[in-house]
Every structure is written in structure tokens, then in C-alpha cells.
Amino acid sequence: MKYQSQAVAKPYFVFALILFAGQILFGLILGLQYVIGDFLFPEIPFNVARMVHTNLLIVWLLFGFMGATYFLVPEECETELHSPKLALILFWVFAAAGVLTILGYLMVPYAKLAEITGNKFFPTMGREFLEQPTLTKVGIVIVCLGFLYNVGMTILKGRKTVINVVLMTGLVGLAVMFLFSFYNPSNLALDKYFWWWVVHLWVEGVWELIMGSILAFVLIRVTGVDREVIEKWLYVIIGMALITGIIGTGHHYYWIGPEPYWHWLGGFFSALEPLPFFAMTIFAFNMVNRRRRVHPNKAATLWAMGTAVMAFLGAGVWGFLHTLAPVNYYTHGSQITAAHGHMAFYGAYAMIVLTIISYAMPIMSGRTEGNSNRSQVVEMWGFWLMTVAMVFITLFLTGAGILQVWLQRLPEAAGALPFMVTQEKIAVFYWLREGAGLVFLVGLVCYFASFFVKGPQAQSA
């Protein structure tokens, strides 16, 4: 490590991976509950398993983003982190809040949890992805403020780079957008309007800035390409991401009553949202082709290239498939939505966190040139197993969604079958999805195991 304070990223990365494993386990439980309705009932009802699955996704990605920031900012700024002690304190506060919240979901009925945590005095609970008790949300805000202070002071006293500026912009945007989770109007349409300001403007707005800056940081290190070239690409990508993502929020407004012009604005700009992801794919492959060195950490390079491709497919292509109003009229809330969500989250955000972990963990463990070749082979097995499994999960859910629309939502085609009858007819896709999920779990085990495989350290070429 160039700077000792970069080591504070390690507990963030380790805890992120632990939560990631929990998310996958609850995903497998959910998959079985789709076809075996009484599986683990009443101990873990479907709504609780789904809540834990989605909340673990958000929290482990946030831990990953924070760890990535603590690792790359000192190196970009060419100075030690402002306060490593504050970073570790915030880690334990955030970890404790996260664990207690998940245990609350699992051990206490949700209505009782709302009562215990005083939700009636300041109601913020009950909304998808934002189910956290108000006390937990307050804790998240405190952690975010401390985190932004720590990172901001580091950037102010050190070198200013495009990567730092873009990353800080994304992190501030993440914190600001989260404040809308405290606004809980009684009107359901108005509630959904601002709910999307958190959910959409995270994943299709400010998170893309965080993703782009982390990808640029890794590519500079593993390719040796001039910083100026990569930074120019980064400006173009984040510019397109913000323009299309912010206005493209309107493609969620079809069902909640805003003015009809949102159909056109939301549809047009959301149709352009694949462009920044396509640019990111070209960017990653172009930088690798122009590299001045073959970095010994081939696994991190593979993750970086895979991130660009899978983000384009999941967030770009699968997002475009059902974003336009005439199509979304039939597909809204179907398994096609689930297909898009799975590949988009994995490709755009899970993979970028796994990329920076793959690059940074060997360095923090004293292996500056990366893990051994034997270890990297195991890790690359994990990459291919997880990535191919996610492709098949997406394809199976897409097949389920197409058949669901045909049977349930096109009365002239199949007579508009009831929901549960339709679910029975597409159950084969759920079984196939569960099988692909098990393969994904094997890939994750390989990724974990790679950090414990010994061997001679890889050498630069």
C-alpha cells in the first residue's frame, strides 16, 4: 500500500462480502418459495425473505462503495486519509445498525417492529427498498455525514483529480437523494413520485458516477494508460449518465398520474440510457487494448471488463426492452422487470465492487502485484460461474415474464388467466432459475476461496 490509511477499507470489504453471501442465500430461499409456497413458513415468510434479500443488496453495496472510496481516495489525493479512526468508528456503527435491522426483520413481525421503533411518531417504513426503521435511517444519515466529512477533508488537503471529483459528486448525491426516504406523504401517487427520487436517482443516476470513477481508477492501475485519456472518457460517460438518468426518471411515472409529457420525456431519455453503458463497454475494452503493461492481477482486469459488458446488457439492453410506455403497459411489474433488475444490479454495481475488492485486497495483504496465479485461476472460475449463472437467471426470468404477459395480460391471446394459475404455468422457469442460483452460489464460494489459495506471487509482464 502507498498509504497506511488505505487499510481501513479492508473491514468494509470483508463485511460487504459477508452480506453479499447472505443476500444470495436469501435469494435461494425466495426462489424455492416461488414454487414451494410453505418453504420455511412461518419462520421466514415470503415478504420477510424478500425484504432481507433486497435490503442486504443495498447495504452490502454501500459497504463496498465506502471501502472503495477509502482505498482509492488517499492514492488519488496522494495523502493519508483525514481520520482512519473515524472511518473505523463509522464502520462499527453502520455494521451494528445493519445487523440489528436484519435481525429485527427476521425475529419481530414488521408491524411490531414499526411500533417498537416509534414509526407512528415519524412514519417512514413500509416502502419497498426503504423498509428500514426510522432509527436505522437516522443512523445511515449520521454515518453518511461522517463519511462525507472524512473523505471531503482528505480531498481538500490533497491532489484534486477528475476521479475524486466525480466520485465525491456521486457520494454527495447518494446521501442527498436518501433524504427523500424520510418524506412519506399520505397520498400514494405522491409517495411513489418521491420514492423514485431515491430508488431511480440512486441506481440510474448518482451510483453510475461512483461506478464510473471506481472503474476508471482500476483501469488506470491495471493498464498504465495515460490518466488524461481515461479522464476524458469518464467525463463523457458521466455526462450522458446524468442527462439520461435524471430526465429518464419519468419512465416510472406512467402509472401515478403526472402530466402526459412525462410519457414522452421519460420514454425518450430512458431509451437513451443504454448509451452511457455502451460507452463504458467501449471505454473498458479500448483502455485494455491500449495498455502499456500487462498487470499481473489478471482477475481484476477480467472483472473490470466484465463489469462494463454486463452493465450494458443488464442496465442498458434489458432496461430498454420494457421502458417505453406502450411496452411497459403490459410488462410493468412482471418477471421481465425482475430479469432486468437482477442483471442490472449484478452487472453495474455488484461487479464493480467485486472488481475493486479483487484489485485492492491483495495489495492490503502485502501482495502488491496481486494474488498468485493459482489463486487467480480460482477467482476467475468464480467470475465465470457467477456471470454465466446470472445470464441464465436473467434469461429464465425473461422467459417467465414473456409467458406471464401472454397468459395474464393479453386477454385476446389467452383469455387473461388469474395470477396464481399463470404462476403455476411458468413454474418451470422458476425451477430453472433456482438451479442457476445454485451455480451462482458455487461461483461466490470460488471467489471467497481464492483469497485463501497460496502460491508464488504473480509477476508483471
Side-chain angles (χ1 to χ4, degrees), residues 117-181:
T117 56
N119 188 64
K120 65 180 180 180
F121 300 110
F122 190 5
T124 68
M125 296 174 66
R127 289 170 291 172
E128 187 180 12
F129 299 117
L130 303 176
E131 296 95 345
Q132 307 87 18
T134 303
L135 290 176
T136 301
K137 291 187 175 76
V138 171
I140 292 173
V141 170
I142 293 172
V143 169
C144 285
L145 288 174
F147 170 68
L148 291 175
Y149 166 78
N150 206 0
V151 175
M153 293 300 292
T154 307
I155 294 175
L156 284 175
K157 72 176 181 178
R159 180 181 65 158
K160 280 71 176 175
T161 67
V162 173
I163 290 175
N164 276 339
V165 171
V166 172
L167 177 63
M168 194 65 181
T169 304
L171 293 170
V172 171
L174 184 157
V176 170
M177 290 301 112
F178 183 72
L179 295 177
F180 286 99
S181 68

Side-chain angles (χ1 to χ4, degrees), residues 99-131:
V99 170
L100 289 174
T101 300
I102 297 300
L103 290 176
Y105 292 158
L106 292 171
M107 301 174 67
V108 183
Y110 192 69
K112 185 67 175 178
L113 182 64
E115 181 183 338
I116 293 172
T117 56
N119 188 64
K120 65 180 180 180
F121 300 110
F122 190 5
T124 68
M125 296 174 66
R127 289 170 291 172
E128 187 180 12
F129 299 117
L130 303 176
E131 296 95 345

